[in-house]
Amino acid sequence: RIYPTESKNNRLSIMKFGFCRRGIIFGVMGFVLAGFASSLEVNYKASIQGINDHLVKRAIEESLLTFKLEKRPLASVEQLRRRVKKEIPRIEKILESRGYYDGTAAVDMDEGRDPIRVVFKISPGEPYRFNRIELTFFNNDDASLLEIIPRWHKKGRVVATQVFAEEQRVLDLIRQRGYPFPILAKRTVEVDRENHRVDMVLIFDPGVLAVYGAVEAIGLESLSMKYIQRQIPWKSGDKYDLDQLSDFENKLLSTGLFGTARVEPLPPPAGSNSIPIKISLNERALRTIRLGVGYSDIGPSGKMIWEHRNLFGNGERLETAVSYSPIELNWNALLERPGFLRANQSLLFDIDVSRETPDAYDADKLTVSGMVKRDIHQHIMVAAGLRYKYSRVEQFLSLEEYSHIIFPVMLEFDYRNDSLNPVEGGQAFLLSSFYEDMNGSDSFFKTVFEGRLYKMFWKAPRLSGAFRLRLGSINGTAVEHIPSDERFYAGGGGSIRGYEYQSVGPQLGDTPLGGAQLLEFSTELRLQPGRKLGYAIFLDGGSVYNDWTVDANRTLHYGAGVGLRWFTGIGPFRADVAYPLNPADGQVERVQFYISLGQAF
């Protein structure tokens, strides 16, 4: 339009009004068309009939678009017909993969109902089973390969996923026998439809029988290559072993130096069986500060730890910690040098200074030790060394000074599935030490054993059990000649919950005396119905004795309680309340509370 007599501003106003009017018209038309289109939407409801195998039924529902897109209406009935027609071949493939080779499927649509009913009618037939399963290898002269046999039972169901899993298992077993690059060369399947049986032959090509070659490490920044070389558990020319690579990878990750670590073989040069090994690493930050707090019957406690994981460039770990509670002030420093003389061995130096003031005694202690630790297996560790301990111990206003040379020997077996929140596996710990008093007092042996067992009962919800047994014995001298701080005591958060700290065992008045023998046990039932919150009920028991033969019939003390667990990225946060079932008359506080990070054991 042209407005020759209007001003510029007036023309703009009229044009704006024109656009606004058109917008309103288009908006109304769009609303009408949308409503019309909505009235043409095709809704449907799908179901399956004719099959009682719940796993197969679930696999079909999770695979078909008809079920995945059920809540999205279609534009026409014809579009729905095309979709369900394409599902029939998919259903029959799923049936075959689950062993139903004669299975058929059809679809029935009731278009007179709203929403439309779509029914997949399935006739699975009789499932097929294995009649003969055979493994063959190109290198038939290798006896270690001929030892590999099929894992499943004869006449087992023919399920594709289980076949693939078995193929992968055999490939891994071949790798463990020194062949890094095996392949499945051929899979032959013969189907006997009359007898519903299947014969299968799996033919594997192991490839080259390899030895270890050169090692290359990628991603090192602050660490030296010498550190990696000291940790390698094999020598160049040794026979290749897949388990060694896996164990080495786990060992690198367990050092805390790396965020990721991958150890993998590379193809050998032409005409050679020497396999290069590539180690891909991603270093973590070298320094860490950790803080911890807790609360128990002795009151609040706290701990601060500073750690450096590469002090001199070869993976040396320095950890120093300060801890405080109402009965103890402690400072500790630990230096660990990995790869000492051999790849699976470490040298440790430790200094510990503490002031302890429990009800039983007051003690000032200085301990200096050197230990050699060796990992003889992925789950087994042994250690031995030399330790010096100086202590000033006061009990009943009598002050004694001790100067001991100690020879400790330690064994640990750990196959827990998780160090922070285990639900499967176990752990056993044994420490035996000989104490030689440099001041001429009696020498003695002190031995402590602790075993822990974890068992998963149900996976949904997660219901598991945890069991602990602790035994201790001091031999070689009378109990009155054993320093008060080395005797055994029981009661408290890390011992028998529900009892005051060190209150179980021989006492003189209100003062615990400690003993030469110890028995403790705990059992917990742990429930984790969700990702964050969990619950526990527990029963603890035990006692302290001076002589098993004389005191064995004394009553054990028991404590029971309930706990709440809040699961975090750094471990479960634990809050327990416990009650003593048969306390001594002198125990005033009958309900005890414990708060800390981590499970009780």
Side-chain angles (χ1 to χ4, degrees):
R1 295 180 182 179
I2 301 176
Y3 304 91
T5 60
E6 299 292 336
S7 67
K8 180 179 180 181
N9 290 336
N10 285 339
R11 290 201 305 270
L12 290 175
S13 298
I14 294 171
M15 292 174 68
K16 289 179 180 179
F17 175 76
F19 285 127
C20 180
R21 182 171 56 189
R22 293 174 188 172
I24 293 174
I25 294 172
F26 289 142
V28 172
M29 291 177 63
F31 180 78
V32 172
L33 290 175
F36 179 73
S38 177
S39 66
L40 295 179
E41 286 182 348
V42 175
N43 295 287
Y44 67 92
K45 185 174 180 60
S47 62
I48 296 175
Q49 292 180 359
I51 188 164
N52 296 322
D53 192 323
H54 297 291
L55 294 177
V56 176
K57 185 175 181 180
R58 183 191 305 172
I60 293 173
E61 291 175 344
E62 292 176 351
S63 301
L64 302 190
L65 291 176
T66 303
F67 288 96
K68 292 181 180 180
L69 305 178
E70 188 174 10
K71 295 183 179 180
R72 300 183 186 180
L74 295 171
S76 67
V77 176
E78 182 59 31
Q79 188 176 358
L80 177 59
R81 293 194 191 102
R82 290 195 300 268
R83 172 182 292 179
V84 298
K85 184 178 180 181
K86 292 179 180 179
E87 306 287 31
I88 301 302
R90 295 193 184 102
I91 295 175
E92 292 177 347
K93 286 183 179 180
I94 294 173
L95 292 174
E96 185 174 330
S97 70
R98 299 284 175 156
Y100 296 98
Y101 282 77
D102 298 330
T104 60
V107 63
D108 184 19
M109 291 178 53
D110 187 351
E111 301 177 10
R113 302 181 62 179
D114 187 15
I116 296 173
R117 297 299 191 266
V118 177
V119 181
F120 292 99
K121 297 182 177 181
I122 299 174
S123 177
E126 183 178 340
Y128 281 58
R129 302 183 182 278
F130 283 111
N131 178 59
R132 182 175 62 88
I133 305 167
E134 182 180 345
L135 305 179
T136 63
F137 307 92
F138 285 172
N139 289 351
N140 289 326
D141 56 341
D142 190 334
S144 66
L145 297 180
L146 299 179
E147 294 173 355
I148 303 175
I149 59 176
R151 182 173 55 180
W152 56 65
H153 297 288
K154 187 178 180 180
K155 297 184 179 180
R157 282 269 302 277
V158 181
V159 179
T161 54
Q162 295 179 2
V163 173
F164 298 148
E166 177 66 8
E167 292 171 355
Q168 186 59 51
R169 184 187 73 91
V170 175
L171 289 172
D172 288 340
L173 291 175
I174 296 173
R175 294 186 183 99
Q176 292 172 7
R177 286 156 172 76
Y179 299 87
F181 304 109
I183 60 172
L184 175 66
K186 188 176 182 181
R187 182 194 305 117
T188 301
V189 179
E190 295 183 3
V191 180
D192 182 354
R193 295 192 177 274
E194 181 179 355
N195 298 307
H196 300 94
R197 292 292 183 263
V198 171
D199 291 338
M200 178 176 291
V201 178
L202 302 177
I203 304 174
F204 294 90
D205 180 3
V208 61
L209 180 62
V211 297
Y212 290 112
V215 176
E216 177 189 14
I218 299 175
L220 293 178
E221 297 177 3
S222 60
L223 281 162
S224 68
M225 185 59 190
K226 291 182 179 179
Y227 168 78
I228 301 297
Q229 291 171 340
R230 287 203 309 268
Q231 305 299 312
I232 295 174
W234 65 82
K235 296 179 181 179
S236 180
D238 288 351
K239 183 179 178 182
Y240 172 86
D241 187 341
L242 174 65
D243 287 344
Q244 267 190 330
L245 264 65
S246 179
D247 292 345
F248 182 44
E249 190 173 279
N250 292 331
K251 181 179 180 180
L252 292 174
L253 289 171
S254 66
T255 63
L257 291 166
F258 309 103
T260 59
R262 181 172 176 81
V263 183
E264 55 186 336
L266 299 178
S272 172
N273 69 335
S274 180
I275 301 295
I277 302 298
K278 179 182 177 182
I279 306 174
S280 303
L281 303 166
N282 181 21
E283 291 189 17
R284 293 177 55 197
L286 299 179
R287 300 170 182 83
T288 301
I289 295 178
R290 303 195 302 271
L291 301 174
V293 295
Y295 180 85
S296 67
D297 51 314
I298 61 175
S301 61
K303 189 172 186 177
M304 181 175 69
I305 302 173
W306 179 87
E307 182 182 36
H308 194 303
R309 289 181 288 273
N310 188 26
L311 192 63
F312 304 119
N314 288 296
E316 298 87 356
R317 183 174 69 92
L318 174 64
E319 179 181 289
T320 180
V322 177
S323 61
Y324 166 81
S325 73
I327 62 169
E328 182 181 14
L329 179 62
N330 176 269
W331 174 81
N332 175 268
L334 171 67
L335 177 62
E336 179 178 4
R337 203 273 194 184
F340 176 67
L341 300 181
R342 55 188 300 165
N344 62 341
Q345 196 164 267
S346 299
L347 178 64
L348 298 92
F349 294 102
D350 183 86
I351 301 176
D352 190 274
V353 180
S354 64
R355 167 72 174 168
E356 298 178 1
T357 57
D359 293 339
Y361 57 85
D362 292 343
D364 297 307
K365 298 186 288 185
L366 168 66
T367 304
V368 181
S369 66
M371 298 277 288
V372 175
K373 181 182 73 172
R374 179 181 294 184
D375 298 318
I376 61 176
H377 185 269
Q378 182 180 359
H379 303 292
I380 303 176
M381 181 272 293
V382 296
L386 182 65
R387 181 177 296 158
Y388 170 76
K389 177 185 175 184
Y390 171 80
S391 59
R392 292 165 49 92
V393 184
E394 182 178 353
Q395 188 177 48
F396 299 114
L397 302 179
S398 175
L399 181 64
E400 298 285 346
E401 291 191 15
Y402 299 94
S403 184
H404 285 103
I405 296 292
I406 307 170
F407 302 90
V409 177
M410 183 170 60
L411 171 65
E412 183 178 9
F413 180 48
D414 189 350
Y415 64 106
R416 296 171 296 172
N417 69 323
D418 188 329
S419 60
L420 297 177
N421 184 35
V423 294
E424 287 285 358
Q427 183 182 28
F429 175 86
L430 177 67
L431 174 62
S432 184
S433 304
F434 176 72
Y435 288 69
E436 176 68 34
D437 195 315
M438 299 179 64
N439 295 332
S441 298
D442 292 347
S443 302
F444 57 91
F445 279 96
K446 182 177 181 180
T447 302
V448 178
F449 167 82
E450 183 166 336
R452 301 174 180 182
L453 180 65
Y454 307 93
K455 179 64 177 177
M456 174 71 78
F457 299 127
W458 288 291
K459 293 184 178 180
R462 286 167 61 95
L463 180 65
S464 63
F467 312 92
R468 178 182 71 96
L469 174 66
R470 188 166 187 254
L471 302 172
S473 180
I474 302 176
N475 305 98
T477 187
V479 66
E480 58 267 19
H481 297 153
I482 302 171
S484 301
D485 64 319
E486 290 290 350
R487 299 172 193 167
F488 294 113
Y489 300 87
S495 176
I496 308 174
R497 285 167 288 185
Y499 292 82
E500 296 176 356
Y501 183 66
Q502 294 185 342
S503 64
V504 176
Q507 294 191 8
L508 181 60
D510 295 332
T511 302
L513 295 176
Q517 279 84 37
L518 169 71
L519 167 63
E520 289 179 356
F521 61 87
S522 299
T523 179
E524 279 196 0
L525 193 62
R526 299 170 180 173
L527 177 65
Q528 186 181 348
R531 295 182 58 187
K532 291 295 184 180
L533 201 58
Y535 311 91
I537 58 174
F538 56 84
L539 175 69
D540 297 346
S543 191
V544 172
Y545 308 97
N546 285 327
D547 191 323
W548 291 111
T549 59
V550 176
D551 300 336
N553 293 324
R554 293 183 58 181
T555 302
L556 293 175
H557 291 270
Y558 300 93
V562 296
L564 185 68
R565 307 289 185 265
W566 181 262
F567 297 95
T568 70
I570 56 175
F573 179 78
R574 175 172 65 98
D576 290 339
V577 56
Y579 185 84
L581 300 182
N582 55 338
D585 295 335
Q587 179 161 335
V588 178
E589 299 291 339
R590 295 301 175 96
V591 178
Q592 304 291 334
F593 297 92
Y594 310 94
I595 299 174
S596 68
L597 185 65
Q599 295 283 10
F601 58 91

